[in-house]
Amino acid sequence: MSKQLYWLSDSEWARIEPHLPRGRRGAHRVDDRRVISGIVHMLRIGARWRDCPKEYGPYTTIYNRFNRWSRQGLWFEIFEALTGSTGIIATVAIDSTHIKAHRSAAGGKGGHSSRRSAARGGRTTKIHALTDHCGRPLVLLLSPGNINDIAFAPTLIARVGPITGLIADKAYDANSLRRLLAEGGAKAVIPSTTSRKQPIPYDRIAYRRRNRIERMFSRLKDFRRVATRYDKLARNFLAGAILAATVAWWLN
């Protein structure tokens, strides 16, 4: 059993430990490394929090730490600290993926903040992402599953600052987005939809790199609590996806 458990390596811990909160009032926190390892383990296997292996300590401690730091925005702060960069970012890719919401994700308080939508295929959530030229996630955002992909494109782009180019599929072929990119001096690598009477040329060789964001989503969904949404709160589901992305790409 112990061989199947996840534990932060020395190098991973060395990267994440400096970004943890210090000097806060209250009772002394139990071993952060053990607790965070337990949280990541639960993200990977997708089980109920109460089924957390005893090697990580009480499951209530594991969940409460995850929930509290999600509410405080700490997981996002760690992600931003590890992915932060200065200057102009090279060509990036943008896309989204649908996430099936488990029945246990229903009933949470917060109204629209739940970020789910109901359709014929059931309740779904959508993760919108922007990745760097290596396919590493730079920004992750959440929306109901019935929101158009392009609706979140301006927000994703704004989060990373100046870019030199954007690779996207036909779902992002809109004059408004192309103007936004042109105004920022970025190249649009986006194929035209069939509805355009005069297709706009694009760099087909550069477009081949779009598969990197598809591979990113595939790897992210190796974490079962990301591949299927069990969390009632949108805040916690997105925080879990952010932490999974941090571990998968930015701690090594």
Side-chain angles (χ1 to χ4, degrees), residues 155-171:
T155 303
L156 288 165
I157 295 170
R159 290 288 182 90
V160 297
I163 59 176
T164 60
L166 179 73
I167 302 173
D169 62 22
K170 293 181 179 180

Side-chain angles (χ1 to χ4, degrees), residues 60-87:
T60 51
T61 299
I62 304 301
Y63 172 74
N64 289 338
R65 184 78 58 84
F66 170 74
N67 182 54
R68 182 170 66 252
W69 283 0
S70 171
R71 184 175 64 251
Q72 296 172 350
L74 182 66
W75 305 121
F76 299 92
E77 292 175 7
I78 293 173
F79 181 77
E80 291 177 352
L82 294 175
T83 60
S85 61
T86 58

Side-chain angles (χ1 to χ4, degrees), residues 34-223:
R34 172 167 58 84
V35 171
I36 295 175
S37 295
I39 292 171
V40 175
H41 177 79
M42 298 306 292
L43 292 176
R44 290 169 66 93
I45 68 173
R48 300 178 303 171
W49 289 103
R50 66 175 58 252
D51 295 328
C52 182
K54 63 180 183 300
E55 286 85 347
Y56 297 117
Y59 82 87
T60 51
T61 299
I62 304 301
Y63 172 74
N64 289 338
R65 184 78 58 84
F66 170 74
N67 182 54
R68 182 170 66 252
W69 283 0
S70 171
R71 184 175 64 251
Q72 296 172 350
L74 182 66
W75 305 121
F76 299 92
E77 292 175 7
I78 293 173
F79 181 77
E80 291 177 352
L82 294 175
T83 60
S85 61
T86 58
I88 297 177
I89 298 177
T91 300
V92 297
I94 191 172
D95 206 350
S96 69
T97 186
H98 275 90
I99 303 294
K100 187 75 172 181
H102 191 268
R103 61 183 177 82
S104 65
K109 298 180 180 179
H112 294 295
S113 65
S114 65
R115 295 288 183 180
R116 294 190 308 273
S117 64
R120 181 176 298 180
R123 294 186 179 276
T124 59
T125 287
K126 185 178 286 188
I127 297 177
H128 302 262
L130 188 145
T131 61
D132 65 10
H133 65 286
C134 295
R136 299 174 299 183
L138 295 173
V139 186
L140 296 177
L141 296 176
L142 204 63
S143 81
N146 59 358
I147 297 297
N148 291 333
D149 292 354
I150 199 171
F152 273 66
T155 303
L156 288 165
I157 295 170
R159 290 288 182 90
V160 297
I163 59 176
T164 60
L166 179 73
I167 302 173
D169 62 22
K170 293 181 179 180
Y172 296 87
D173 177 26
N175 292 335
S176 58
L177 179 58
R178 291 180 182 275
R179 282 196 299 269
L180 177 66
L181 294 172
E183 290 170 359
K187 178 182 179 181
V189 184
I190 306 173
S192 299
T193 61
T194 55
S195 63
R196 279 192 183 275
K197 295 182 179 179
Q198 294 183 341
I200 301 175
Y202 66 99
D203 189 336
R204 294 178 179 273
I205 295 178
Y207 186 72
R208 294 175 184 173
R209 298 202 298 271
R210 199 186 73 82
N211 70 87
R212 294 177 182 176
I213 195 169
E214 299 290 352
R215 297 203 302 267
M216 183 279 294
F217 279 129
S218 179
R219 185 176 176 187
L220 189 62
K221 288 183 177 181
D222 284 340
F223 291 80

